Each structure stands twice: as structure tokens, then as C-alpha cells.
Amino acid sequence: MSAEAASVPAAAPRVPPLAAADYERCRALIYRLAGINLGPHKQALVSGRLGKRLAARGLTDWTAYMGLLENGEDADELREALDLLTTNETYFFREPRHFQILREQVLPGIAERPVRIWSAACSSGEEAYSLAMTLDDALGPRHFEVHASDISNRVLARAMRGHYPVARLEQMPPAFLRRYCLKGVGAQSGTLLVEPGLRRHVQFRAINLVEPLPPLPRFHAIFLRNVMIYFDDVTRQRVVRQLVPTLVPGGWLFVGHSENLRALGDVLESVAPAVYRRR
């Protein structure tokens, strides 16, 4: 074999087409486990995110892979698939009006300490750290706790590192950037690291919101934003009704601007766009 031939990397395994029947099996599985309704036109997304797992498991067709996931005997592979299908990107201070409401309306009405906030679908952690920056600036580090959760262990590992590309910073107040972030240099140029002292005030854990919740403290506010768009109405109501009792009476619930909770008027009062309070 020539040196030139030896240097050519092997071609990536071709991902076989995802047949409609196997896609429906995947839709049913992700709905049962995570409450996520993929919709009928997400085959390309599923194929793109899970395709490499077939080669990793030595499988040549989707039917065999779906059988592996459905039998539940390989918990690690099932967790890997869930991580790949439920991971969503976000950025710091997304929907900044919510952080203004937190500072100007929520915090002044809370007398007890510490103030506890739950970022209930924290993804890669930008929301949780945005909350921690806001609370530290308004209250001081001894007077708040941020609890953050996600179904995906993969993004939680990233969140705990607190290391991000600078492209996530467009909405961050410049004063917070200087105070709470360390700029990457050399090989880390173009990235930032959330200051370690602030990271210590954020607790991350894996929680599946469609399953019974583990023991939790009472929260003064919950941020549940931009995750319920993946739920159908039944799942959305079930999740919110499960979360409301973890709020203190009069506690605040922040959701995404495309997520309407009118059907939950018996337990929640609307106070601003995408902002509710426990009755």
C-alpha cells in the first residue's frame, strides 16, 4: 500500500434510511419517556442525531436499533439516545424582560432568605448562570440558591463546566461580563468561563419533568422556558400541575413566549406575557 493511500481516512459509515415505521417507533418512545412530541416531519432530525449510534453499536438498520432501545436492557444506550434527541441550545439572558421582572417585581416581594429559583429545563446552563448573576448582583452571594435541572446528562456536564463560546453573550450586560466571566486566551480564545465563585451557587441535577419529581425545596420562582413547545396539551398540563406545588404561595412561573397556559387558570394567574403566579 502506498503512503498516499495509507493517509486517506476511512469513509464514515453510511446511515441507512429511516423508514416511516421505525420513525413512528422512535416518536412513541421519546413521547413515553420524555413527553416530547416530535411531530410527523422530524425524520431527518432523528436520523442526523442518532445515525452514528447504529455504527457505534455495530448495527446496520434502524429496526434493530429501535429494538435495542425499546427492550430497555441497555440503559446506557437509551440514555445516550435521549441525550441526543432532547438537547437544545440556548444563550445568556434569553428573553431579557423576564430578568428585569425578576429583579424589579419578584425579588422586592420576597422577605425570607435564601431566595430559591429553579431553572427547570436548563439545557447547557446559560439560563441558570444568568439567574445567578442577576441574584448575586441584587442580593449578594449569601442570599440565594439557583437549582438547575435537565433531562440530558450530556448538557448538564457541559453546564457544570461553565465554559461557553462568546457567541452566547449578545444579551449579557457588559458589567456582568466583566464581573462574572473569565475571557479565554491562547487555545481558549473566543470562549469564556463563568467565574468559579458564581458557579458554586448553582446546583445541577438530572430531572425528567414528565416523571414524578424527586424531593425538592419550595421555590420563589421557576423558569420553565422554551421546553413545553415540544409537549402536547395533555403533557403540558400534567407537567405544570406537578411543578406548581413546588412554588411557595404566590410564587412566580416564567415560561416561553410561545407557551400559553390559559387552561391552567385554576392554579395560575397571568401577570405579564409568559409570566404567571401561583394562586
Side-chain angles (χ1 to χ4, degrees):
M1 180 181 293
S2 69
E4 289 79 6
S7 66
V8 176
R14 187 180 69 86
V15 177
L18 175 57
D22 291 320
Y23 176 62
E24 289 303 317
R25 293 169 69 185
C26 184
R27 286 185 65 192
L29 182 68
I30 195 72
Y31 181 81
R32 176 168 59 85
L33 295 177
I36 292 174
N37 186 355
L38 285 174
H41 306 298
K42 299 289 187 179
Q43 283 175 258
L45 180 146
V46 171
S47 180
R49 292 194 178 186
L50 295 186
K52 293 180 180 179
R53 297 307 306 162
L54 275 69
R57 301 312 305 266
L59 301 173
T60 59
D61 64 83
W62 285 98
T63 299
Y65 184 68
M66 288 309 307
L68 176 68
L69 296 181
E70 288 169 338
N71 68 32
E73 294 179 2
D74 192 330
D76 289 340
E77 184 61 35
L78 185 57
R79 191 177 303 112
E80 180 79 13
L82 279 174
D83 279 353
L84 291 170
L85 290 177
T86 58
T87 298
N88 295 290
E89 297 296 336
T90 183
Y91 50 88
F92 287 93
F93 291 91
R94 185 175 185 174
E95 298 173 7
R97 174 62 179 158
H98 283 173
F99 295 93
Q100 183 181 357
I101 291 173
L102 175 65
R103 177 187 287 271
E104 297 177 358
Q105 299 182 41
V106 178
L107 297 182
I110 301 173
E112 63 268 27
R113 297 291 185 268
V115 173
R116 292 189 179 93
I117 310 290
W118 181 13
S119 173
C122 70
S123 188
S124 44
E126 290 91 333
E127 177 181 85
Y129 291 127
S130 298
L131 290 169
M133 293 175 192
T134 302
L135 294 169
D136 184 83
D137 184 63
L139 303 174
R142 293 180 298 171
H143 301 302
F144 75 90
E145 297 174 2
V146 175
H147 298 247
S149 66
D150 198 272
I151 191 175
S152 170
N153 287 289
R154 181 191 301 271
V155 294
L156 287 173
R158 289 169 54 194
M160 285 185 277
R161 290 193 295 270
H163 188 210
Y164 301 99
V166 295
R168 307 281 178 86
L169 303 179
E170 292 183 3
Q171 300 287 346
M172 185 182 292
F176 285 6
L177 179 61
R178 294 189 295 268
R179 182 175 175 184
Y180 297 115
C181 300
L182 305 175
K183 182 179 180 181
V185 297
Q188 301 299 330
S189 180
T191 69
L192 67 88
L193 184 69
V194 176
E195 193 272 323
L198 188 76
R199 295 207 310 271
R200 285 194 289 269
H201 291 279
V202 185
Q203 306 172 34
F204 291 98
R205 65 188 296 186
I207 295 178
N208 185 341
L209 297 176
V210 304
E211 295 181 349
L213 296 177
L216 293 167
R218 287 286 190 94
F219 299 102
H220 298 97
I222 297 173
F223 278 60
L224 182 68
R225 306 189 303 167
N226 305 303
V227 64
M228 290 190 294
I229 55 173
Y230 303 106
F231 297 159
D232 61 17
D233 288 340
V234 172
T235 304
R236 187 180 301 116
Q237 290 197 42
R238 187 171 78 246
V239 167
V240 173
R241 289 189 184 280
Q242 180 172 239
L243 264 62
V244 166
T246 71
L247 284 168
V248 301
W252 299 67
L253 176 66
F254 294 79
V255 301
H257 282 288
S258 61
E259 299 163 337
N260 192 288
L261 303 182
R262 279 194 297 265
L264 293 151
D266 59 316
V267 293
L268 294 171
E269 174 188 7
S270 175
V271 293
V275 182
Y276 299 82
R277 296 192 72 176
R278 180 182 177 181
R279 290 191 182 276

